[in-house]
Amino acid sequence: MDATQHWDDVYAGKGDDELSWTEDSPRHSLELLLDGGRSPRRVIDVGAGRSTLVDQLLTLGAEQVSLLDLSPSALQQVTERLGAADRPRVETVVADVTTWEPPTTWDAWHDRAVLHFLTEPERRQQYVATASRAVAAGGVAVIGVFAPDGPESCSGLPVARASADDLVRLFGDGWTLEVAGREVHHTPWAAAQPFTWVTLRRR
């Protein structure tokens, strides 16, 4: 089964309370994305799934939010959830982030739990290359991955855990670390999942 089919089956067949990454509110993501309490003007959420981050960003003033995911089902569910007034400010993109060619640039890139599924070094480098093309100079990438003591797999797939130092080395000289931290996410069934979070500024 290819990755697109895997994730589309996950989102088409499971409710939010059956998905380990479900959270009541994307509080940590918002804390890292918001500048003075206001959303960046243009944001791309990589691996958006059914997250409510887009709803929050629109409420807080984002002019355009792009949602990228492998699952057409997940993106369709988000589009249906949004009100008619919000839909013109939302773009959905069904694509693999490692091969996708960004048609423009964004002020902020957000990824909660996509990068750690890229276990091969070549695909991780492709991810960084995509982010480097997609984020405008002076923009930020906010990234959350399983910490070194986090789960070794998720949704039946292996993951590559990372520290903040690992992510800084991966992104290289084109980026500057602004924030590094740790969050313990609790799944709907109360399992603890430690995450590493970084905010990297595009030079």
Side-chain angles (χ1 to χ4, degrees):
M1 183 185 298
D2 66 20
T4 297
Q5 189 64 56
H6 172 83
W7 291 112
D8 213 39
D9 287 349
V10 167
Y11 282 108
K14 292 188 176 183
D16 288 340
D17 61 351
E18 299 175 280
L19 301 176
S20 64
W21 51 88
T22 296
E23 53 186 352
D24 292 336
S25 171
R27 288 184 294 271
H28 202 75
S29 296
L30 288 170
E31 287 174 7
L32 296 175
L33 282 169
L34 298 187
D35 180 9
R38 183 174 176 82
S39 169
R41 188 174 64 87
R42 289 171 48 81
V43 182
I44 180 164
D45 188 10
V46 177
R50 289 197 298 249
S51 170
T52 61
L53 179 63
V54 58
D55 311 61
Q56 302 284 340
L57 291 172
L58 293 172
T59 298
L60 291 166
E63 295 179 15
Q64 185 73 30
V65 181
S66 298
L67 308 176
L68 186 146
D69 203 280
L70 281 169
S71 169
S73 176
L75 296 178
Q76 181 180 350
Q77 291 173 58
V78 173
T79 301
E80 292 172 352
R81 185 183 73 218
L82 293 171
D86 287 332
R87 288 176 191 154
R89 292 190 286 159
V90 177
E91 171 194 32
T92 59
V93 181
V94 178
D96 180 335
V97 68
T98 65
T99 57
W100 176 61
E101 292 289 340
T104 185
T105 58
W106 287 262
D107 304 313
W109 168 288
H110 172 266
D111 167 12
R112 177 179 179 262
V114 170
L115 179 56
H116 65 210
F117 284 108
L118 306 179
T119 57
E120 301 93 345
E122 180 181 1
R123 297 195 73 210
R124 293 167 75 79
Q125 289 297 335
Q126 290 169 336
Y127 174 102
V128 172
T130 301
S132 297
R133 292 192 297 271
V135 178
V140 297
V142 171
I143 299 171
V145 300
F146 284 148
D149 58 338
E152 297 180 353
S153 65
C154 181
S155 191
L157 300 174
V159 299
R161 301 174 293 178
S163 66
D165 288 342
D166 293 332
L167 296 177
V168 170
R169 283 192 293 270
L170 175 65
F171 273 74
D173 293 338
W175 300 80
T176 301
L177 178 68
E178 291 203 337
V179 178
R182 175 182 171 89
E183 174 206 17
V184 178
H185 166 66
H186 291 91
T187 70
W189 48 93
Q193 295 183 334
F195 272 75
T196 295
W197 281 92
V198 296
T199 299
L200 301 166
R201 180 77 60 179
R202 183 83 171 96
R203 292 180 181 172

